[in-house]
């Protein structure tokens, strides 16, 4: 993974986990809890693809497993988010951009249902029967509802940040070539950043220099013609 991907993903995951534990986890809503960490993993996977999505999901899940007040075995949620991140990355279009908002929203619904089922399934394998006492149907419904209500306020914002960071010139890897650097710079030009202003200024300066050179050439040419005519008169 590139350095800018790692930095942005780590920052977003940590922020999402802090909000998840300190705010969303204390709302005491019926059924499930809105899963901001899951939405963050899904949004990043939709931009970076299935491999990065799996790695980000595993790291985010492991942090969630270790963060208090975790009451389950470490690695359980890491496995769930790793699978969800990989599956969400497979839903990423070849062009990298969705034509409408239905794609990300359907992915969020599938991720909410899949993560709840996987979490309950892994819990059943390790002897955790809490999902049976709460009711799996109620958990599925509330988890999907809460995540779907929270998604429009988080997923587009995270995807926009990820795409913008993907066009960062620092994203050029150490082994990359000039073609990759050109792609990154063109992405900055399309992104409307300061580099575009700088390139426009540079182009303006080059145009002025060329204009001055052409003007000087025309003046020299006129002087040369006049000198030739004066020689002929003599």
């Amino acid at each position: 993974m590139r350095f800018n991907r790692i930095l942005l993903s780590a920052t977003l995951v940590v922020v999402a986990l802090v909000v998840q534990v300190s705010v969303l986890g204390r709302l005491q809503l019926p059924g499930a809890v809105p899963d901001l960490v899951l939405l963050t993993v899904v949004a990043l996977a939709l931009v970076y693809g299935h491999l990065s999505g799996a790695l980000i999901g595993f790291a985010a899940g492991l942090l969630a497993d270790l963060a208090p007040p975790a009451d389950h075995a470490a690695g359980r949620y890491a496995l769930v988010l790793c699978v969800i991140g990989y599956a969400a990355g497979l839903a990423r279009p070849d062009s990298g951009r969705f034509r409408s908002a239905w794609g990300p929203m359907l992915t969020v619904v599938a991720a909410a249902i899949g993560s709840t089922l996987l979490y309950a399934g892994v819990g059943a394998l390790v002897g955790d029967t809490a999902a049976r006492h709460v009711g799996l149907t109620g958990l599925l419904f509330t988890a999907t509802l809460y995540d779907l209500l929270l998604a429009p306020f988080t997923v587009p914002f995270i995807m926009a940040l990820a795409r913008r960071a993907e066009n960062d010139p620092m994203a050029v890897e150490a082994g990359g070539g000039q073609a990759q650097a050109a792609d990154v710079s063109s992405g900055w030009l399309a992104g409307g950043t300061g580099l575009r202003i700088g390139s426009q200024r540079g182009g303006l300066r080059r145009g002025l220099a060329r204009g001055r050179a052409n003007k000087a050439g025309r003046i020299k040419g006129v002087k040369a013609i006049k000198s030739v005519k004066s020689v002929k008169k003599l």
Side-chain angles (χ1 to χ4, degrees):
M1 293 177 65
R2 299 172 180 176
F3 175 75
N4 65 321
R5 288 189 182 184
I6 298 175
L7 182 61
L8 178 63
S9 301
T11 302
L12 291 175
V13 167
V14 170
V15 172
L17 183 59
V18 171
V19 175
Q20 177 81 31
V21 174
S22 61
V23 179
L24 299 179
R26 299 182 180 182
L27 293 179
Q28 296 182 355
L29 297 173
V33 178
D35 199 339
L36 185 58
V37 178
L38 173 68
L39 296 179
T40 303
V41 171
V42 170
L44 293 174
L46 290 176
V47 177
Y48 295 148
H50 59 279
L51 181 58
S52 297
L55 295 175
I56 295 171
F58 179 80
L62 189 59
L63 286 177
D65 288 331
L66 300 177
D71 56 353
H72 55 268
R76 180 177 173 183
Y77 202 47
L79 175 61
V80 172
L81 286 187
C82 180
V83 175
I84 294 299
Y86 184 87
L90 293 177
R92 175 179 178 268
D94 295 334
S95 61
R97 294 182 178 272
F98 290 91
R99 296 182 178 179
S100 65
W102 287 106
M105 292 300 104
L106 292 177
T107 306
V108 168
V109 172
I113 296 175
S115 62
T116 305
L117 292 176
L118 283 174
Y119 190 82
V122 175
L125 292 177
V126 298
D128 186 2
T129 59
R132 297 180 182 177
H133 299 292
V134 177
L136 184 58
T137 304
L139 286 177
L140 287 173
F141 176 76
T142 53
T144 305
L145 178 63
Y146 296 154
D147 292 346
L148 193 58
L149 292 176
L150 187 60
F153 304 99
T154 55
V155 173
F157 176 71
I158 295 173
M159 293 179 67
L161 282 179
R163 289 195 182 104
R164 189 170 184 84
E166 192 72 358
N167 293 330
D168 196 318
M170 293 300 293
V172 182
E173 296 177 345
Q178 295 181 353
Q180 185 178 4
D183 292 339
V184 174
S185 63
S186 64
W188 269 77
L189 294 177
T193 59
L195 185 58
R196 181 173 182 172
I197 298 175
S199 63
Q200 290 177 347
R201 290 178 179 175
L204 181 60
R205 291 175 181 175
R206 288 193 295 270
L208 292 175
R210 290 175 182 174
R212 292 174 181 174
N214 293 334
K215 186 177 180 179
R218 287 194 297 269
I219 294 174
K220 290 180 180 179
V222 172
K223 290 182 178 179
I225 293 174
K226 289 182 178 180
S227 61
V228 170
K229 288 183 179 180
S230 60
V231 170
K232 287 182 179 181
K233 289 182 180 178
L234 294 175

